[in-house]
Amino acid sequence: MLKTLRKLYFGNSKGAHAFRYGLLAFDIVTVIFVITTSFFPHTRPVEIADAVIGVVIVTDFLARFIIEPRKFMFWTRFSTWADLVALVSFLAPIAGESFGFLRVLRTLRLLHAYQMLSRLRQDFKAFRCHEEVILAAINLLVFLFIMTGLIYATQFQSNPQIQNYADALYFTVTTLTTTGFGDITLEGTSGRLLAVAVMIFGVTLFLRLAQVLFRPSKVRYECPTCGLKLHDADAVHCKHCGTIVHIDTEGYN
């Protein structure tokens, strides 16, 4: 069984790739579920769905822990703590109601896994050509959802201006884009610190997305001499070391 699990999580077979795509699809559906249900009262069916999703995450978490050869290093990784946050939010109803958006950390972890990135580059030309834009957009969206969840969780009981996720999302977006209408403000020292975090980190991620959107496109090709991986689409020589590079293209004007 241990050998089978390692093949599924780290192998290069079609079954292993399909399994990891299945995990990615599960995470995407989970995020959609979280966003949709956050605007409605948590009924019994929603709580049951939460528990089922939580069991799946527990199973995935235990499987990755079992196949991990370095158990101590397992607890030092971002992916481990992202999954623990997701586990608490799905299996503990009180935590889940306020911190539901923290579950998107799982999707961020999976999308940044080396095997998943490698397979997405291989299978999808659009991802291969726009990888930096896609990842920058995902990082910004994940940050947006996390800050929305934190703002709602810390403000909805004490701040009459924050009554639901829509209010928290509205504040986060207006703050991140520096629009700042001022019709919603956060109360207390913790609220002000959250607003500062949104402004500093959010604007940084937003500028990163703008940078990759408007700068000249690059192609991924590892220079055999210096290892530089991104080059101009029409490059003949590596800009770092001058080595001749042979980039496969479909033709450029």
Side-chain angles (χ1 to χ4, degrees), residues 63-236:
R64 290 190 297 106
F65 178 73
I66 290 172
I67 63 176
E68 174 59 52
R70 297 175 296 177
K71 304 298 184 186
F72 175 78
M73 293 299 296
F74 179 81
W75 298 104
T76 64
R77 295 172 185 163
F78 166 79
S79 60
T80 300
W81 295 101
D83 279 352
L84 284 175
V85 169
L87 284 174
V88 171
S89 68
F90 275 111
L91 297 180
I94 296 177
E97 184 177 354
S98 298
F99 293 94
F101 278 121
L102 296 180
R103 300 163 185 175
V104 299
L105 285 170
R106 255 186 68 84
T107 305
L108 182 67
R109 182 269 296 175
L110 190 59
L111 281 171
H112 281 75
Y114 172 77
Q115 293 93 345
M116 181 58 68
L117 286 177
S118 177
R119 192 63 193 182
L120 287 171
R121 293 186 195 114
Q122 181 178 337
D123 291 346
F124 301 102
K125 181 181 178 181
F127 183 87
R128 191 165 59 248
C129 295
H130 307 289
E131 177 181 344
E132 288 188 276
V133 174
I134 293 172
L135 291 181
I138 290 172
N139 289 338
L140 179 61
L141 287 173
V142 168
F143 174 81
L144 184 66
F145 287 133
I146 290 173
M147 295 310 300
T148 296
L150 288 175
I151 289 170
Y152 175 71
T154 57
Q155 294 284 313
F156 80 101
Q157 289 183 332
S158 59
N159 191 340
Q161 296 175 322
I162 305 291
Q163 295 296 315
N164 50 50
Y165 279 113
D167 294 335
L169 180 62
Y170 170 78
F171 172 83
T172 305
V173 172
T174 55
T175 303
L176 184 149
T177 57
T178 68
T179 305
F181 293 115
D183 51 342
I184 295 180
T185 56
L186 302 187
E187 297 182 349
T189 302
S190 61
R192 293 184 178 91
L193 290 176
L194 279 175
V196 169
V198 170
M199 286 183 278
I200 294 177
F201 296 104
V203 169
T204 301
L205 291 170
F206 185 77
L207 291 176
R208 170 60 180 166
L209 177 59
Q211 178 189 30
V212 297
L213 275 173
F214 295 109
R215 76 181 183 185
S217 60
K218 302 283 186 178
V219 295
R220 182 173 293 274
Y221 173 87
E222 184 171 352
C223 173
T225 302
C226 70
L228 181 67
K229 293 184 178 180
L230 294 178
H231 302 269
D232 293 333
D234 59 350
V236 177

Side-chain angles (χ1 to χ4, degrees), residues 51-66:
V52 171
I53 293 173
V55 170
V56 174
I57 296 176
V58 168
T59 304
D60 174 53
F61 183 86
L62 291 176
R64 290 190 297 106
F65 178 73
I66 290 172

